[in-house]
Amino acid sequence: MLVTGGAGFIGTHVVAQAAAAGWDVRVLDSFRTDVHASDAATPAGVRTVRADITDRAALRESLSGVDVVCHQAAKVGLGVDLGDAPDYVRSNDLGTAVLLAEVASAGVDRLVLASSMVVYGEGRYRDARGVIAAPPRLRRDLEAGRFEPVSPRTREPLVPELIDETAPLDPRNVYAATKVSQEHLVSAWARETGGRAALLRYHNVYGPGMPQATPYAGVASLFRSALEVGRAPTVLEDGAQRRDFVHVSDVAAANVAAIEGTTAMSPGTARAYNVASGEVHTVGEMAAVLSDAFGGPAPVVVGGYRLGDVRHITASAQRLREELGWRPTIGFMQGMREFAHAPLRRPAGT
């Protein structure tokens, strides 16, 4: 099995769990200095190719004798500004296209893609008349502190619900657009080659080994990084944004289940799966639990917003449970209390 991005946060956990499950694992990773610390490494005994995902010769070497690819390599997060867009597209979309071309040439017919909840945009909502798509939030509303999406039919705040994999895709930032493109590329590969693919839509992943002090990390890492240096976590908007925080060990287990589950798929299939704990918590609640467990200053709600952020996004993982037999094992309170004292990765480039 080849794990691209196997030296990254999620990738290292996938490598460890796949090896423990008996897989012969190899890794391809660029070890980019804007992502990794200088001493980043893969576990001893794991064959590792240090190369960019667009390096076709390195891919050919890495794919020799491989049965299945677990594609974790990607640039993640909302980004700093639109100047990040070319690197997102190159890393995520061009990289995936090059990988798929080499996968097809090598005759590998199974693939697991690390996708994301961001493909949905806003989550599932309902108003007094039924289910409705939430329109993008307007800058003037956000600046005025009106954070909840409003029904265009009733002008009342929408009620959030769990989203499932049948929902239409509605990317609302550059990163999200590249993840949708990755899914479409993998689906095209499956149709054209008879391949079989699982598209894993991760929700808010956290846990030991998260990168610290980077604008591309998730909110859990940003809060923990602040606590590490004695600062209070700063919570945007009003802290009531609903999210599903899923532990990285459960995400790795979902990858192993998908790797093994692709064997039963029909040729030409690309199937999406939400990877979520099923527990709904707010960003403010997460910050408070983390601060309390760390023994640091209480979080501060500062208002403000990031224009590409969505208000609420939580999911049903029923499909993953029923079809691949996956179950989350680490609940929110246990996971956050452990995460408060778990080791983090050193900042990129150090």
Side-chain angles (χ1 to χ4, degrees), residues 3-338:
V3 180
T4 69
F9 165 47
I10 297 173
T12 54
H13 288 267
V14 173
V15 168
Q17 287 204 27
W23 285 90
D24 179 11
V25 183
R26 65 183 64 166
V27 166
L28 182 139
D29 198 293
S30 66
F31 291 89
R32 283 173 51 157
T33 57
D34 60 340
V35 176
H36 296 288
S38 59
D39 61 351
T42 52
V46 174
R47 177 183 171 188
T48 301
V49 175
R50 184 183 290 254
D52 189 82
I53 191 68
T54 60
D55 185 333
R56 301 190 77 151
L59 281 168
R60 291 187 195 108
E61 174 190 350
S62 301
L63 287 166
S64 177
V66 162
D67 296 314
V68 59
V69 172
C70 188
H71 184 29
Q72 304 293 317
K75 183 168 182 172
V76 301
L78 186 59
V80 175
D81 55 38
L82 202 61
D84 273 335
D87 193 34
Y88 273 104
V89 172
R90 180 191 176 278
S91 299
N92 298 357
D93 298 341
L94 177 60
T96 298
V98 174
L99 171 66
L100 292 172
E102 293 302 324
V103 164
S105 179
V108 179
D109 69 348
R110 294 192 291 132
L111 186 141
V112 174
L113 172 69
S115 187
S116 171
M117 66 180 187
V118 298
V119 299
Y120 297 119
E122 286 284 352
R124 176 185 167 100
Y125 289 89
R126 179 180 298 275
D127 66 8
R129 301 182 189 177
V131 174
I132 185 173
R137 297 185 294 170
L138 301 178
R139 186 188 295 270
R140 65 172 180 266
D141 289 333
L142 296 170
E143 289 177 347
R146 296 188 293 269
F147 301 123
E148 293 292 342
V150 173
S151 169
R153 299 186 296 205
T154 68
R155 307 310 306 166
E156 295 294 323
L158 293 169
V159 178
E161 298 182 339
L162 299 184
I163 200 165
D164 65 25
E165 296 86 351
T166 64
L169 306 186
D170 184 18
R172 298 196 175 184
N173 56 57
V174 170
Y175 170 57
T178 66
K179 299 310 284 186
V180 170
S181 180
Q182 280 187 305
E183 289 199 7
H184 287 167
L185 287 166
V186 171
S187 297
W189 163 81
R191 287 193 300 271
E192 292 179 23
T193 67
R196 293 161 287 174
L199 317 174
L200 301 185
R201 294 172 178 169
Y202 301 160
H203 284 252
N204 286 73
V205 186
Y206 73 98
M210 281 196 92
Q212 60 178 306
T214 168
Y216 302 105
V219 67
S221 175
L222 298 178
F223 290 168
R224 174 65 196 281
S225 296
L227 290 166
E228 285 285 323
V229 296
R231 297 199 312 266
T234 55
V235 181
L236 296 181
E237 301 188 16
D238 58 2
Q241 307 96 304
R242 291 159 57 104
R243 296 290 188 271
D244 186 304
F245 298 98
V246 58
H247 196 274
V248 67
S249 66
D250 287 329
V251 173
N255 274 273
V256 174
I259 289 163
E260 296 171 349
T262 52
T263 59
M265 288 183 175
S266 300
T269 298
R271 185 85 163 147
Y273 296 94
N274 287 328
V275 182
S277 71
E279 295 187 50
V280 176
H281 296 277
T282 68
V283 172
E285 180 185 359
M286 186 272 283
V289 170
L290 191 61
S291 294
D292 181 67
F294 186 86
V300 178
V301 179
V302 297
Y305 62 91
R306 297 192 303 174
L307 194 59
D309 274 342
V310 298
R311 179 60 173 175
H312 304 298
I313 176 69
T314 56
S316 164
Q318 183 176 354
R319 177 183 289 183
L320 183 60
R321 290 169 178 255
E322 291 181 351
E323 295 185 8
L324 300 183
W326 174 86
R327 295 287 186 278
T329 61
I330 299 179
F332 175 79
M333 293 303 295
Q334 175 193 350
M336 285 296 167
R337 286 168 179 160
E338 291 176 355

